[in-house]
Amino acid sequence: MPSPLVPHPTLPSSWASAIDPDLLTLTPWTDDPTPPILWSVAGTDSGGGAGLSADTRAAAEMGVHLCAVVAAVTAQHSVGVKAVFPLPVSQVRAQLGALRQDLPPRVVKTGLLASAGTVDALLAQIGDTPLVVDPVLGASAGGAAFCDDALLGAYRHQLIPRAVLITPNRREAERLLGVASGQLPVPELAAMLRGMGARAVCITGGDDTAQVDGLSMDWLDSPLATGWIALPRLSGRNGGTPNHHGSGCTFATAAAAALARGFAVPDAVILAKMLTWCALRDGHAAGAGAGPLRPDRHFIDDPRAMPVMGFDDETSPDRATLTRWREVLWPASRRAAPFATGLYAITDRPERVTALALSGHFTHLQLRIKRSPSTDDDALRSAIRDAVRDMAGRSATLWINDHWRLALDEGARALHLGQEDWAGLNAGDRDDLQQRRSRHGVRLGLSSHSLWELARARGAAPDYIACGPLWPTTTKDMPWLPQGLAQLRWWARMAGVPVVGIGGVLEERQWRAGMAAGASAMCLVRAAEEMVANGRLR
């Protein structure tokens, strides 16, 4: 089997620098000659399912070097936990001290800690290293207690305020907060945990039996992105429970490993969702109870594992939204609208639309007039109206960027929204737009720059998703690193709809390379006029 395509971080970080945008393929993570170092402070599982066993498997498929710090030894099998033996704090401290001398971590992840003393020893050693907390408070299979009142207090007052990400399931979130089961909705639980100091919270829903509609949904609450992240709910053989032993450990380790690779928190959570879903799907029975997950490095370019994501105001997605998500996640249930391949010109000059169309070079045209304090709505309406009139009957598709209500009022039937424009709509606006798409055949293109934006764009079931900037560009001031051709290839494989490449395309070899990488269309902005004048790019 060929090496998987892998994405790269799209926001600058201490561990993520710009890649060569002309590269068609990036080194698979599992072939990384200098893998990032991740510490996991957790317990052993004599049954080989959860704890450090699961952490080791997940870390290997993320291509990171895992340093396993044993905090507790358990006597357990696939049916339950017979006993938990916390290691003496001095032994935990000795492990951490030895690692600190030679193998300093990029990220630290915790699992079963078993004693408050272990928390003290850990925090004394890690300084300001990013910390991912998987609050292991009990075993899903049942059995011996994992967490006493002293350790619960240490979670609340020491670990949670220090965490860059905490990954409880619903039961764990409720216990950390001291609220009754089912008393509060998941988004409120997450907000309360962030109120305790956690920088980001992801409450996993794989074992939440209250969730319906065939979806497994995790709620992410973070500074960059908040919303439900959904994939199809998996079942085991004959509709039974899948082999899920160690799923929480797997998820937290994958997220921590992605952070160590330089991905922002929402992207790290998307990657953790993908790896855990694939590993759960491929899990195997090893005893009488639920068996362990089986991660594989090809999770990363498996289109079935690419989730959808909602918005922060969609705390209780309505029926139409859930139906749309299911149609995206089960693509055989819907027919995609045709999308013509070719070049896609963008202009902010309404008077140039006709000339661009008449040139015959472009299958798509976009009128992008950005609103400013001096923008006159009447002039904007007139510009859109004229462009729609001039494109009537032509083979090229005219897309209007933003101003979607004005555009629809003036007869436009194809819209493009940047992620900021789309995120700026309220729930009512998004519902109105989706109804117009359903009733009147309005087409929609959305921009994306990161993994979480791709997942969120997928949730809207657009006609295409733009990936950019591909090369460095001065057209817009953006924080994103150039995506490059390798990232475009990954987007085209994972998006589930046509992908349009945009950003820094100034030469013919660039747009041709983009099309060869899988783009359905390549955007020219400044270069569009050169194409009209000369018939080609340099």
Side-chain angles (χ1 to χ4, degrees), residues 36 40 64 120 140 145 154 164 198 238 309 369 452 489 494 497 519 536:
S40 178
V64 301
D120 293 332
S140 59
V164 299
N238 299 321
M309 184 173 183
I369 304 175
W452 90 81
R489 286 183 69 198
M494 305 299 288
V497 296
R536 63 186 304 275

Side-chain angles (χ1 to χ4, degrees), residues 386-463:
D386 291 347
V388 170
R389 181 199 63 217
D390 293 344
M391 288 296 294
R394 301 192 187 279
S395 59
T397 301
L398 174 66
W399 304 82
I400 304 298
N401 185 292
D402 207 2
H403 321 301
W404 66 277
R405 287 192 184 277
L406 291 178
L408 294 177
D409 288 345
E410 298 305 327
R413 286 298 177 265
L415 309 171
H416 178 90
L417 295 176
Q419 271 292 318
E420 290 181 359
D421 302 324
W422 179 245
L425 302 181
N426 59 40
D429 288 337
R430 292 196 300 271
D431 181 62
D432 185 11
L433 181 51
Q434 291 291 3
Q435 289 192 37
R436 295 192 188 211
R437 293 183 66 203
S438 176
R439 295 173 183 173
H440 306 297
V442 173
R443 305 182 71 184
L444 178 66
L446 296 176
S447 294
S448 65
H449 310 88
S450 60
L451 276 63
W452 90 81
E453 287 191 348
L454 173 59
R456 182 167 277 171
R458 278 168 50 80
D463 292 274

